[in-house]
Structures are given as structure tokens and as C-alpha cells.
Amino acid sequence: MAVLNLRPLAGGRILRGSQPFGLDAASTSDFLAEHGIQAIVDLRSELERTMVPWLVSEGSPELINNPLDPNAVAGSLQAVETPEDLGDLYLGWLRIRPEWAADALRPVAQGKRTLIHCSLGKDRTGVVSALALMASGASNEAVVNDYTATTANLPSVLETMAATWRLHVPSTPAQYFSPDLMILQSPEAAIRHFLVGFAREFGDAGAFLREAGLTAVEVETLRHGS
């Protein structure tokens, strides 16, 4: 298996993707070396990490657990019925946990080639990726294109995720991973709604990240890569 839904951002300084499905210690080492990864930012909850842990040596690369449990922050996932609901969910995470977003990007801001991931590599990863792109000066269209690139990958990621949950939590209902659920989609309207709401509520991504805990120098490194 592998890290799925994988792609580079910010000139390759960031890789975004899913959790490491089915990687043993040797294949994990090969994957990290192949991509030159110096830090991993894991956005998953403790339960998610327990089911699919990273098999890495201590300190190589730096493994940063920066969890956000979407079931416990800013509303219920079951209440997400429209793309606008999904965009509002993302905004709620930043409203309640701004430091979470800053912490996720700190290794990148310190010059480390960083893998940022959650479980599917869609929502939590998508929010952090959007912030990274905005802070680097990318256009809204670049953010939209990155977010919607997940859509083509969702069938394989959801199939693999469902198999993982059936293995570890056999009582998980089959409909939990239905592609018809809005929370398991990556529609363009959701990220556009997020972008409009972010601009209205927070303004500039760099200013948001400074207020959330990054230094001015770190924000400049995100923008310029040095």
C-alpha cells in the first residue's frame, strides 16, 4: 500500500496526502527517503493514529502529532449536507483552533520538507494546504484546483479506508464510507465558500498565521521559501 492522494505544494516544500496505508517499517523508510521528507505533521486523532501508526525511528524524520478530531470540534460531521456546510465546517476549525493550523505549518516555515496528512488527506489536510497556498501568495484558483484534485482519488482512498476500519472496528456500518455523503466529497463549491468566508472573517492568510502563533520570519519563509 502507500500514502494515497499524494501531491506536492509550494514548490515541493510540502507534500499532502492520506495516512500511510499498509506500510511496514522498510517500505515507510523507502517512501520517506524517496521524497526527502524531513518532517511529518500528523493531523489525525489518537484513535486514527492507533489504527494506522507511523513506523519510523525516533527523530528521523521529525514526527509531529497535531491532532484535530473533526467529531469534537466545530459541529457534527453528520450535519454536513451541502458544500456550504462543508466550507463552514472548515472555517469553524480555524475559528476555534487557529493555533492548530499554525503548528501544522511551522516545520515548513522552518525550512523542512514536510508531509502533512490526516486520514483521507481531504478535509484537515485540505484546510492546512489551502492556508499554505494562500500564505505563499497563490491565487484562489490554485487553492480550488488543489482541493478538487482529491475528487479523482476518493474512490480508491475510501475503499482502502473502509477496509481499514472493518479490520479494526468490525461494527462500523458500511454506509459510514458511502461516497454519497457530503463529508466524503471534495466539491468545488465547498472550497469556494471557505475562501469567501476566510477573506471576510480573517482577511489575509499571513496575518491569520501570525496571530495564530507563527513569527513574521516564519510567515515570510512560507511565502518565499527561504
Side-chain angles (χ1 to χ4, degrees):
M1 298 298 293
V3 175
L4 305 176
N5 198 26
L6 184 69
R7 55 188 175 275
L9 301 177
R13 291 177 287 138
I14 298 172
L15 285 173
R16 60 167 293 177
S18 73
Q19 62 188 4
F21 291 108
L23 295 182
D24 60 19
S27 55
T28 296
S29 179
D30 290 344
F31 167 78
L32 297 171
E34 176 187 354
H35 293 285
I37 293 169
Q38 298 169 298
I40 300 169
V41 175
D42 190 333
L43 305 176
R44 297 175 297 168
S45 68
E46 182 178 0
L47 172 61
E48 292 170 297
R49 294 197 307 271
T50 299
M51 287 194 290
V52 184
W54 276 103
L55 302 178
V56 296
S57 302
E58 185 174 352
S60 180
E62 182 181 11
L63 178 57
I64 301 161
N65 291 323
N66 184 28
L68 186 144
D69 185 345
N71 291 297
V73 179
S76 168
L77 300 185
Q78 287 70 39
V80 175
E81 297 181 349
T82 69
E84 291 72 26
D85 291 339
L86 190 54
D88 283 335
L89 183 73
Y90 299 160
L91 290 168
W93 294 345
L94 297 184
R95 192 178 300 122
I96 294 172
R97 293 280 308 281
E99 78 290 344
W100 166 80
D103 290 344
L105 290 173
R106 183 166 284 110
V108 186
Q110 295 174 344
K112 298 173 184 175
R113 182 168 167 81
T114 304
L115 171 66
I116 299 173
H117 78 95
C118 52
S119 54
L120 297 175
K122 180 179 85 71
D123 300 306
R124 290 164 289 186
T125 302
V127 170
V128 172
S129 297
L131 274 176
L133 287 167
M134 288 189 288
S136 71
S139 67
N140 280 0
E141 290 309 306
V143 177
V144 170
N145 290 340
D146 174 66
Y147 178 83
T148 56
T150 290
T151 298
N153 299 324
L154 278 175
S156 62
V157 180
L158 288 175
E159 181 180 358
T160 306
M161 181 67 75
T164 300
W165 275 80
R166 283 196 299 269
L167 177 64
H168 293 276
V169 188
S171 60
T172 302
Q175 62 268 28
Y176 192 87
F177 292 101
S178 169
D180 294 330
L181 294 174
M182 178 54 62
I183 192 62
L184 297 180
Q185 299 176 29
S186 51
E188 179 177 330
I191 194 65
R192 290 198 183 278
H193 185 79
F194 168 82
L195 288 168
V196 170
F198 185 92
R200 181 178 59 244
E201 186 166 347
F202 303 114
D204 174 74
F208 172 85
L209 289 168
R210 285 193 299 274
E211 291 182 10
L214 293 187
T215 67
V217 171
E218 288 172 331
V219 171
E220 278 300 300
T221 300
L222 278 177
R223 183 169 181 83
H224 299 294
S226 60

